[in-house]
Amino acid sequence: MRGKQVVVLEIGSSQLRVIVAKPGLNDSLFVKDQAEKNYDGYYQGEFVEPSKLAPALYDLFSSIDFLRNKYNKKLFVALPAEMTNVALASASMSVEGLGRVTKGDVDALSQQALEKVKAPDVEIVSTSPFGFYVDDVKSPEPVGKKGRTLSAEFSIITCPAKLIKSFNEILADLGFVSVEYISEPLASALTVVPEEEREECALVIDVGQLSTSVAYVSGGGLSSLTSFSIGGGHITSDLSEAFDLTFENAERLKKMVVISVEAQPLDYYDLITAEGKVERILQDDAGKVVSYRLETIASAINQCLIMQGISLGSYLPIYLIGGGASKIKGGKDFLAKCISKNIAYGRAPFPGKDKPEEAALFSLASFALKNCD
């Protein structure tokens, strides 16, 4: 990857973020530039204020002076779970010629699978094989293997064509020369979950500000993906309403709440507000508000698992990323208790970049570097 550099746009549920990265020493990640911009976000895969998206993106990219720095040559756009779907397709073919699998055979097999999910109203974002089989023998790298039949099952991630069209128009107007779309849940799963665990299957739960996704990863692809429009921002709203606080002060309170320790009846938080006042709030009351919303998120996660037909066996590794729950003191363990399974934090495997709330952003940069031309 030496000499490569990528520019990646992350479309968050309440924030747009851009990262410019290149390979660092000893397989690390060097962040050359980074910026963020709050915006109205999306709900159930649709932007709340579509007309405000282009100005928000312009402000975001201008903050890193993307034209002067020539960051406009190619942009990777990371699509969130709510804007994508996962389809599974199998393909099989005879190996011609000398009976050894060629790269052309692999490409033809992938194309055969793609044809099964192609439709005028969708765009293909990625195609990932779970594993190849040569004469029914599993072969992670089939090229060069001898056999008569090549087969595989593929995970194909799609996005509504109208969404890609609108993005292309906006980004072209901003001056970007080339745009490539990638899946944020796929990039996160392939980065935070160790390869040996992915061979068996693993679960990645991403609780963001206003959206949560549940991705089931196997081998090199996602076998299922579900999402819902609830996240950490709803906890803030609950605190705001319960204690008559501004959103900013509710965010401050949320950072103070500890739900892993049982509060005594007269224990309270001294919340120093943005206005410099001190608000005394009972710890037990604040903890109940946060716990109630986390229970709602956990219940929705369980519904996602039921929809995906996933059984939480004792062997299944589960990772939590995103700032919606991981930044709450005791949030991870509370969710684990709700779904009756152990949960570990998902982290990008780079020194100094191991916070769960940053896992997706650094995963996207790493994924883009591995897949750029």
Side-chain angles (χ1 to χ4, degrees), residues 93-236:
M93 60 180 289
S94 299
V95 179
E96 303 296 336
L98 299 176
R100 289 188 184 275
V101 178
T102 65
K103 184 180 182 303
D105 293 328
V106 173
D107 292 341
L109 192 73
S110 176
Q111 187 60 38
Q112 184 186 132
L114 280 177
E115 292 297 327
K116 295 183 178 182
V117 301
K118 274 187 175 181
D121 58 342
V122 301
E123 290 281 347
I124 304 298
V125 178
S126 70
T127 305
S128 308
F130 291 117
F132 294 95
Y133 289 84
V134 180
D135 289 349
D136 297 324
V137 177
K138 192 169 185 179
S139 302
E141 297 294 339
V143 175
K145 299 288 184 180
K146 192 171 184 179
R148 286 297 176 188
T149 303
L150 175 66
S151 61
E153 186 173 25
F154 293 86
S155 168
I156 302 172
I157 298 178
T158 64
C159 174
K162 63 178 183 180
L163 182 65
I164 298 295
K165 182 176 182 293
S166 64
F167 264 123
N168 285 343
E169 291 173 352
I170 291 172
L171 296 171
D173 288 342
L174 290 176
F176 284 95
V177 177
S178 175
V179 179
E180 182 172 337
Y181 294 88
I182 58 179
S183 162
E184 179 168 332
L186 176 63
S188 297
L190 295 183
T191 304
V192 305
V193 181
E195 185 176 358
E196 61 272 16
E197 291 184 355
R198 282 192 277 111
E199 288 305 314
E200 293 296 329
C201 295
L203 200 67
V204 178
I205 300 171
D206 186 347
V207 183
Q209 180 73 350
L210 299 174
S211 180
T212 296
S213 67
V214 181
Y216 193 53
V217 60
S218 175
L222 300 183
S223 58
S224 63
L225 176 66
T226 51
S227 59
F228 52 91
S229 294
I230 308 175
H234 294 85
I235 297 174
T236 308

Side-chain angles (χ1 to χ4, degrees), residues 272-285:
I272 302 176
T273 69
E275 297 77 24
K277 298 179 180 180
V278 178
E279 295 272 359
R280 282 195 164 185
I281 296 173
L282 286 172
Q283 292 185 11
D284 187 57
D285 289 347

